Amino acid sequence: METNVRTPLDVLNLPQHLVIPLFQRPYVWDEAEQWLPLWQDVRRMAELRLNDPYSSATHFLGAVVVQAQDNQTGDLPARNVIDGQQRLTTLQLLMDAAGSVLEEAGLDALSGQLEVLTHNLELYVTGGASRLKLRHTNRDHAAFDEVMNADPPVDHDALNHSGSLLAGAHKFFVTAVSEWLGADPEHPEYADRASTLVMVLTRGLQLVVIDLRAQENSQEIFETLNARGTPLTAADLVKNFVFQRLESEGVDTRRAYAEDWPFETKFWEAEIGVGRYNVSRSSLFLNQWLGSRLGEEVSPKSTFTRFKHYVDHESRQKMSELLIVLKQQADLYEQWTVAAADPDRALSPTELAVYRMQATGIELLKPVLIWLHDPERSIPRHLANEVIAAVESWVIRRLLLRLPSADLGRIVADLIDTHRTAPVGELPERVRTYLTRLSSASTYWPGDREISAALSTENAYRRFSRSRLRMLLEAVEDRMRAAYNYPPVPRRGYPIEHVLPQKWETHWPVDGLEAQLDRGAHVHRLGNLTLLTESLNSAVSNGAWPVKRDKLARHDVFLMNRYFRDTATTDWDEDHIDSRSQIMIDALLATWPVPEGHIGEVSNPVAGDQSWVELRHLVAAGLLTAGTRLVSRPGQWASIEAVVREDGGIDLDGQVFATPSAAGKYVKGAVTNGWAFWRLQDGRKLADVRAVYRGKQPGKEGYKPPFDWSRLHAVLEALPEGRWTTYGDLADVVGTAPQPLGNHITKCAQCVNAHRVLTSDGRVAEAFTWSDPNDHRNPADMLSEEGVGFPDDRADAAKRLSSDDLAALVHAQ
């Protein structure tokens, strides 16, 4: 057995076949967890070398185990890939994708440097063997061979295996490489970026390669690497790296370990569930700490590599200095967490936010809390509390509507990145403005009206987990207590009780089917739920109202229960539930307020493809109105009608259904796709309306209408002389992404002042061209004449207009 640290050039340069055996699992890596982090690492290395051509920085990819075969494929030596096939496959796809982009750009020499690492030269291949150096023999064989042998430009959608992860990865890397290189291969910097990228892919990455002889026990090696012992956590890897650096700096590592390394306690070793993963609390903190420092959404699997790159190339601090900051913030983090677990402690806004995140099962806002308490920023506590109130309101309000959270991590990262250098005194207002401008269904900040309409009929007891619902009821109680300066409610896991019992038929009967359906619909609503210090036994819980009211009075320590002692509540019925629901909703809205005048509309429903859509989104977007009549599909149910409610529910036979499919199931008596079952009176399916909301042509899910660039033209028209902005800020205001916006500007005769739009680091974009091909003016010279300085070849940051500034410009017109 031989073990070496090698570059891809070392591993792949020789003619060979690396064979993935039949027993190996199929390719499973995906964009979010592996492709994007890998590309981000490669891109960072390339940009680092562009800025410092003498840099020898490398990025470690992991380990690969290969074993020589006794039998050879054709005339080429062959080795089985025992471990590491996922990363090897992904690296090959990235190299081939980059090579195809370079070949299409006419850079054949650079493309050829990558091709010799993915394909054997024809003169070495005999007997009809594949030229591919990596050979899949499992079910991925056809898909991998097809995409790797496709001629550029690759039409991924036309491939026979276009739906495979392999084709998806190749397409992702083609797009990523193309966007990073720029649109114009003739631009002077294009070739420099291309050659740097090839340098990183061939020599800037490292693999630990374990070479086994044919006679060695590969299974034993595989088990040792993957099954035996406890795998190293991100915190373990970071610790080794930190103390190696401290030693190289001449620091007393024994003292530093004893006094400054904070993660050697049971608190930090505890396993925390994050989505599909369990990670040590120390690893989770390090991930969130990185997010707070970088303004990036860091994958948990990339914590160590991103930490190492940050220390090596971005922090500009010695490890001994950085460790002090790390310990300070880790100690604060531990204090917050311990305080949040104390049921009787009066919590600070930060500690309360931690408790609420624990109750709701999310970690989303931890990077914001860490960022706001960065000792190097010294943000006053009252200003930090204002920011916490805003971001918590944004998250909780979306939670109240059960809106998707997949995009929120990206927004949190961008919020930190956008406001890292903002004047401290302006921070709360800038954050509130940032959040109010979010307008897509996946990220917007819901307003009072939408939440009030939804919660008034929401089956809260069934829609929210017990911990989330208890947290909401505690918030209602705390809001009521605040009016009297009472201390907050202890967080002791008090039982949630129904006032109108779940089994109401015996002691709470009503006459008529309609009344029975209405009562059943109110049982789980917010106004019928309460907290008690002592659980009602089942006999009393299901008993008549006078008995239950007396029991509630005897165990009443909560202000929310004083409603039941009102003389008007001699009975407990649907009207009282609705009335109390509104009181509780008002308390929730006051606990998590929005800025005055904020409505929270989805003003640009076509900005993103939202896979998760409810009727209320269509109502909010104006695509459906309250009172719209729905008819069932043709056939035996053709005479059935339903009505769309203002809150997005469906009225049908005196009942309210939360989804089209639930209403369709009620009619058919069997599970059905309600989006196809229900139609508007003009014949359109609900699915057609949903497709419009997603920005697609009804019946053609792949179609997207042209983007409306009129707002861009207005913003550019308003850009004043002597100021500049970025493609990212401009895209944020317009409601698109920087890349298509930049592409549009280069071809748009209506886009005035294009020279005032620069990259995020204040440079003229590499692919910048005027819409008039005969215009050869230099944007940097024009800006200099307007009074924008270019220290270090970058535009004066003080002259930059943020997205908030741009929005204010247009609003003022």
Side-chain angles (χ1 to χ4, degrees):
M1 179 175 67
E2 181 180 348
T3 303
N4 291 292
V5 178
R6 302 178 182 175
T7 67
L9 184 65
D10 299 327
V11 177
L12 300 167
N13 191 43
L14 294 176
Q16 61 186 303
H17 282 309
L18 296 172
V19 181
I20 295 176
L22 185 63
F23 57 80
Q24 287 276 24
R25 68 173 176 168
Y27 187 70
V28 295
W29 280 17
D30 62 23
E31 177 178 344
E33 298 296 334
Q34 287 92 15
W35 308 341
L36 179 59
L38 172 60
W39 169 246
Q40 289 172 334
D41 291 333
V42 169
R43 185 188 65 201
R44 274 193 293 271
M45 298 305 301
E47 290 171 351
L48 180 65
R49 293 194 176 210
L50 280 170
N51 294 328
D52 180 9
Y54 299 101
S55 172
S56 59
T58 57
H59 174 71
F60 178 62
L61 285 180
V64 175
V65 181
V66 294
Q67 183 173 34
Q69 288 185 3
D70 287 328
N71 299 323
Q72 296 185 351
T73 303
D75 297 326
L76 292 177
R79 292 180 291 174
N80 283 335
V81 180
I82 306 303
D83 195 30
Q85 68 104 339
Q86 302 283 332
R87 61 176 51 89
L88 264 183
T89 299
T90 308
L91 181 60
Q92 287 281 284
L93 291 165
L94 171 54
M95 287 179 165
D96 188 75
S100 68
V101 173
L102 298 175
E103 181 178 338
E104 190 178 358
L107 300 176
D108 293 344
L110 291 176
S111 175
Q113 291 181 39
L114 294 176
E115 185 179 11
V116 297
L117 303 184
T118 59
H119 294 69
N120 292 301
L121 297 178
E122 290 185 1
L123 61 92
Y124 293 114
V125 179
T126 60
S130 171
R131 287 185 57 214
L132 294 179
K133 292 196 171 182
L134 185 64
R135 302 293 313 280
H136 284 258
T137 62
N138 57 14
R139 74 183 191 194
D140 290 329
H141 166 73
F144 182 75
D145 284 15
E146 181 184 36
V147 73
M148 291 290 290
N149 288 321
D151 292 329
V154 180
D155 185 352
H156 296 90
D157 295 333
L159 296 175
N160 293 330
H161 301 276
S162 60
S164 68
L165 285 170
L166 295 154
H170 195 278
K171 182 177 181 179
F172 168 82
F173 289 128
V174 165
T175 302
V177 170
S178 298
E179 291 178 351
W180 186 77
L181 289 175
D184 183 11
E186 301 300 322
H187 193 281
E189 292 186 11
Y190 189 100
D192 289 340
R193 292 173 74 85
S195 61
T196 302
L197 177 61
V198 172
M199 173 68 74
V200 169
L201 290 176
T202 57
R203 298 177 178 85
L205 305 177
Q206 289 186 331
L207 292 161
V208 170
V209 180
I210 301 175
D211 269 306
L212 303 179
R213 293 184 294 274
Q215 297 77 20
E216 292 185 279
N217 189 333
S218 61
Q219 182 62 26
E220 182 177 344
I221 298 294
F222 180 83
E223 291 177 359
T224 300
L225 288 172
N226 292 282
R228 298 180 184 176
T230 302
L232 292 175
T233 66
D236 293 329
L237 296 170
V238 168
K239 179 172 70 172
N240 292 337
F241 172 72
V242 166
F243 283 93
Q244 286 178 6
R245 282 305 173 89
L246 291 175
E247 189 172 9
S248 69
E249 292 176 10
V251 172
D252 182 347
T253 54
R254 287 182 178 272
R255 184 204 60 78
Y257 182 73
E259 298 179 8
D260 298 330
W261 182 252
F263 303 120
E264 297 298 313
T265 65
K266 289 184 178 180
F267 173 84
W268 291 107
E269 293 170 357
E271 291 283 312
I272 307 296
V274 182
R276 296 173 291 169
Y277 306 104
N278 283 329
V279 298
S280 67
R281 183 180 272 127
S282 53
S283 297
L284 178 61
F285 166 77
L286 288 166
N287 179 275
Q288 295 166 340
W289 181 81
L290 276 174
S292 75
R293 305 285 286 190
L294 300 167
E296 291 180 15
E297 190 177 9
V298 181
S299 167
K301 295 185 176 181
S302 302
T303 299
F304 169 65
T305 55
R306 193 63 186 94
F307 181 90
K308 184 177 183 296
H309 190 277
Y310 170 70
V311 172
D312 284 343
H313 308 299
E314 298 171 74
S315 69
R316 298 179 182 176
Q317 290 177 289
K318 292 182 177 179
M319 192 68 252
S320 54
E321 298 169 342
L322 199 60
L323 182 57
I324 293 173
V325 176
L326 188 64
K327 177 175 171 52
Q328 288 176 322
Q329 296 199 275
D331 288 346
L332 274 177
Y333 190 95
E334 182 173 359
Q335 292 170 23
W336 301 336
T337 308
V338 172
D342 184 343
D344 298 309
R345 180 187 176 110
L347 302 181
S348 69
T350 300
E351 294 163 348
L352 188 57
V354 171
Y355 166 74
R356 287 167 172 167
M357 277 187 276
Q358 291 173 346
T360 53
I362 59 176
E363 293 282 334
L364 182 67
L365 297 181
K366 294 284 183 68
V368 176
L369 301 183
I370 298 170
W371 167 58
L372 291 171
H373 292 83
D374 185 342
E376 297 173 348
R377 282 279 279 166
S378 300
I379 298 173
R381 182 173 299 179
H382 70 283
L383 296 179
N385 290 344
E386 286 190 55
V387 175
I388 293 169
V391 294
E392 189 181 75
S393 170
W394 167 61
V395 171
I396 296 295
R397 281 174 171 251
R398 292 186 60 84
L399 180 149
L400 290 172
L401 296 177
R402 297 182 295 112
L403 294 171
S405 60
D407 280 353
L408 302 192
R410 172 180 59 83
I411 296 298
V412 166
D414 188 62
L415 183 148
I416 293 172
D417 183 53
T418 302
H419 299 96
R420 277 189 297 176
T421 58
V424 170
E426 300 176 10
L427 196 55
E429 184 58 33
R430 288 198 177 200
V431 168
R432 285 190 289 265
T433 301
Y434 176 94
L435 294 174
T436 57
R437 296 192 189 283
L438 299 172
S439 60
S440 71
S442 63
T443 60
Y444 78 108
W445 193 1
D448 290 356
R449 181 179 176 184
E450 184 180 6
I451 291 176
S452 183
L455 288 186
S456 63
T457 58
E458 181 72 273
N459 288 322
Y461 189 77
R462 288 184 172 173
R463 296 297 187 183
F464 299 112
S465 68
R466 295 296 171 268
S467 59
R468 288 189 179 188
L469 183 56
R470 184 177 294 108
M471 183 273 291
L472 296 175
L473 293 174
E474 290 169 350
V476 170
E477 178 68 17
D478 284 346
R479 187 68 192 178
M480 293 178 176
R481 291 184 176 208
Y484 300 95
N485 291 320
Y486 290 174
V489 61
R491 299 163 299 281
R492 296 180 180 173
Y494 293 123
I496 301 169
E497 297 285 355
H498 290 75
V499 183
L500 170 67
Q502 298 186 66
K503 298 179 180 179
W504 51 266
E505 291 85 352
T506 302
H507 297 288
W508 303 64
V510 288
D511 297 327
L513 177 61
E514 184 175 347
Q516 292 173 9
L517 294 173
D518 191 33
R519 177 146 294 188
H522 279 75
V523 168
H524 298 302
R525 291 185 184 176
L526 192 62
N528 193 48
L529 304 175
T530 194
L531 295 175
L532 289 178
T533 53
E534 180 178 319
S535 181
L536 293 172
N537 62 56
S538 59
V540 175
S541 179
N542 293 329
W545 172 238
V547 177
K548 189 164 191 176
R549 182 179 176 185
D550 178 64
K551 183 77 171 180
L552 288 169
R554 279 191 282 123
H555 292 286
D556 174 22
V557 297
F558 297 117
L559 295 185
M560 71 170 70
N561 294 338
R562 290 188 178 182
Y563 185 92
F564 307 129
R565 297 208 299 253
D566 191 298
T567 56
T569 58
T570 53
D571 292 312
W572 186 253
D573 57 19
E574 291 72 26
D575 289 339
H576 286 106
I577 291 173
D578 288 340
S579 177
R580 185 167 177 267
S581 289
Q582 193 56 55
I583 292 172
M584 299 173 79
I585 292 168
D586 290 342
L588 293 173
L589 296 177
T591 301
W592 293 290
V594 291
E596 184 176 356
H598 176 65
I599 299 174
E601 291 180 326
V602 181
S603 59
N604 183 20
V606 302
D609 179 12
Q610 306 307 323
S611 59
W612 189 81
V613 177
E614 290 191 350
L615 279 184
R616 64 168 171 253
H617 301 137
L618 308 186
V619 174
L623 298 174
L624 290 177
T625 58
T628 297
R629 304 192 72 81
L630 304 176
V631 295
S632 53
R633 67 175 176 80
Q636 59 180 305
W637 304 285
S639 61
I640 305 298
E641 289 193 359
V643 178
V644 176
R645 296 163 55 95
E646 185 176 9
D647 61 4
I650 296 177
D651 277 329
L652 173 61
D653 283 352
Q655 297 190 58
V656 178
F657 295 92
T659 66
S661 295
K665 181 180 179 181
Y666 171 79
V667 173
K668 288 185 64 178
V671 175
T672 186
N673 181 349
W675 294 94
F677 183 82
W678 295 105
R679 287 162 165 72
L680 278 67
Q681 292 185 318
D682 60 9
R684 288 180 296 158
K685 299 177 184 178
L686 274 181
D688 294 334
V689 184
R690 181 179 61 178
V692 173
Y693 178 85
R694 289 172 167 172
K696 299 172 181 177
Q697 187 181 43
K700 296 183 179 180
E701 287 290 308
Y703 172 82
K704 284 193 176 181
F707 189 83
D708 182 4
W709 294 105
S710 58
R711 183 170 175 81
L712 168 65
H713 302 155
V715 175
L716 288 174
E717 188 76 36
L719 270 178
E721 182 174 327
R723 305 299 293 271
W724 64 277
T725 191
T726 70
Y727 292 94
D729 288 324
L730 201 52
D732 186 46
V733 173
V734 173
T736 185
Q739 185 69 32
L741 181 141
N743 292 340
H744 175 79
I745 289 177
T746 62
K747 304 171 185 175
C748 172
Q750 295 173 279
C751 294
V752 299
N753 299 323
H755 66 288
R756 296 173 187 161
V757 186
L758 305 175
T759 62
S760 60
D761 60 356
R763 301 178 188 273
V764 178
E766 300 170 12
F768 179 87
T769 59
W770 296 99
S771 58
D772 180 358
N774 296 318
D775 191 343
H776 302 294
R777 293 174 295 170
N778 186 313
D781 292 343
M782 296 172 66
L783 284 169
S784 296
E785 292 174 3
E786 294 178 0
V788 178
F790 274 76
D792 299 324
D793 295 324
R794 300 183 182 187
D796 183 0
K799 301 287 187 178
R800 173 179 170 177
L801 295 179
S802 68
S803 57
D804 291 342
D805 298 326
L806 298 176
L809 277 178
V810 179
H811 183 71
Q813 289 187 328

